[in-house]
Amino acid sequence: MQELQIPNGYFQLWNMYLIQQGIDFHHLDVLNPYKVNLEHVLRLPIDTQSPFSFFHTILQLTQTELDCPQLTMEMAKLIRPEHFGVLGYMATRSNSVAEALQYVMRFSRLVIDGAEVTPMHMQQQGNEIWLTWPFHHEKYAMLNEMTMASMVHLAKQIFPDQLQFLKIQMAHSAQMALYHYQKFYGCEVSFNQACYAYVMSADSLSLKSGFADPSLTQLLLKQAEVAIALKPRYE
């Protein structure tokens, strides 16, 4: 089974955070066994992918070394469209929340890919929109936290002062003090749930983006379709 692949943009975010803190990762002795590989990944195109297990190791060591349990959230605050590759640009240039979500569900493998990955599912429950995906294993808790925080922060950049999340649902247990989650998301966050979920009002789907660019989006769509067609098929 192919190992889960994550965007190299996540490694770039990690390095951006360290630089912001005035830290050169070459000076962190705890990373000595991994520095050659880190240099290699950081030289790769930002929209390519690398093994999740390597990223997980680096994040755990950094988190411990800096005594920063909320590291994933601090990194997510630096997120930009390019960290999600072509999908990030498509979401940013989409006309509405509904259009952006359609691209996210269709092309999520361009960000995180592997046999265990299940695309996000969207359904309406009364006046609420639920975006859900299943729990696979506790070892992916950090990845889910990183991705969820990054998506929320990027979404709020695209739709500032408009998009509000009603609640965030985590299938794993809390990885840090609860106030970190509440401060970052600004809404109810629950843990050990049956699945992961973003919950927003149904009215949110019609919110418009001030960055919409239909012509560019069509070009990006063709690029994404070619990239997804080259992905391996999983049985």
Side-chain angles (χ1 to χ4, degrees):
M1 182 182 293
Q2 183 189 4
E3 183 177 356
L4 196 70
Q5 302 289 304
I6 57 103
N8 286 342
Y10 281 11
F11 287 92
Q12 296 289 346
L13 271 178
W14 166 82
N15 196 37
M16 284 175 63
Y17 173 74
L18 291 181
I19 291 172
Q20 187 185 70
Q21 302 305 306
I23 300 171
D24 181 340
F25 77 83
H26 293 91
H27 298 157
L28 294 178
D29 292 342
V30 70
L31 298 179
N32 283 343
Y34 309 100
K35 287 175 182 175
V36 172
N37 283 343
L38 277 169
E39 290 169 352
H40 171 69
V41 171
L42 290 171
R43 285 194 300 267
L44 293 172
I46 197 170
D47 60 348
T48 53
Q49 295 170 316
S50 293
F52 163 68
S53 60
F54 181 45
F55 181 69
H56 189 251
T57 297
I58 297 303
L59 238 61
Q60 283 189 315
L61 290 171
T62 305
Q63 197 174 53
T64 301
E65 181 71 11
L66 302 184
D67 190 21
C68 182
Q70 73 278 18
L71 178 61
T72 52
M73 290 180 178
E74 296 301 324
M75 289 167 55
K77 292 175 184 177
L78 303 176
I79 193 76
R80 297 199 298 255
E82 58 263 35
H83 292 118
F84 282 137
V86 65
L87 181 54
Y89 287 118
M90 290 172 70
T92 302
R93 298 300 179 177
S94 296
N95 182 56
S96 66
V97 171
E99 183 180 325
L101 288 175
Q102 290 299 324
Y103 292 142
V104 169
M105 290 186 288
R106 182 177 176 187
F107 298 109
S108 61
R109 289 186 66 196
L110 298 181
V111 178
I112 298 174
D113 192 25
E116 294 181 275
V117 175
T118 303
M120 188 182 293
H121 175 69
M122 182 168 65
Q123 61 180 340
Q124 185 165 349
Q125 299 181 16
N127 294 321
E128 296 179 343
I129 295 296
W130 283 66
L131 304 165
T132 64
W133 63 100
F135 174 82
H136 288 296
H137 196 283
E138 190 75 22
K139 67 183 178 182
Y140 297 130
M142 184 177 283
L143 179 60
N144 277 294
E145 296 218 337
M146 180 78 220
T147 304
M148 293 182 79
S150 296
M151 287 181 65
V152 165
H153 200 70
L154 185 59
K156 289 184 176 181
Q157 292 178 43
I158 302 170
F159 305 96
D161 304 320
Q162 298 173 299
L163 184 60
Q164 299 294 325
F165 290 89
L166 302 178
K167 60 180 129 176
I168 301 291
Q169 190 169 282
M170 308 271 189
H172 59 256
S173 56
Q175 306 293 295
M176 64 193 86
L178 295 181
Y179 72 85
H180 288 303
Y181 295 99
Q182 293 160 351
K183 181 179 179 181
F184 183 89
Y185 289 110
C187 66
E188 175 190 344
V189 183
S190 57
F191 300 90
N192 300 309
Q193 301 299 305
C195 64
Y196 292 94
Y198 296 112
V199 185
M200 63 184 74
S201 70
D203 294 341
S204 298
L205 294 180
S206 60
L207 290 175
K208 302 298 182 182
S209 168
F211 303 100
D213 187 334
S215 297
L216 178 57
T217 299
Q218 286 305 305
L219 290 175
L220 293 169
L221 178 58
K222 292 177 182 178
Q223 183 180 339
E225 287 173 338
V226 170
I228 207 77
L230 294 174
K231 289 286 186 182
R233 294 180 178 273
Y234 298 112
E235 300 298 332

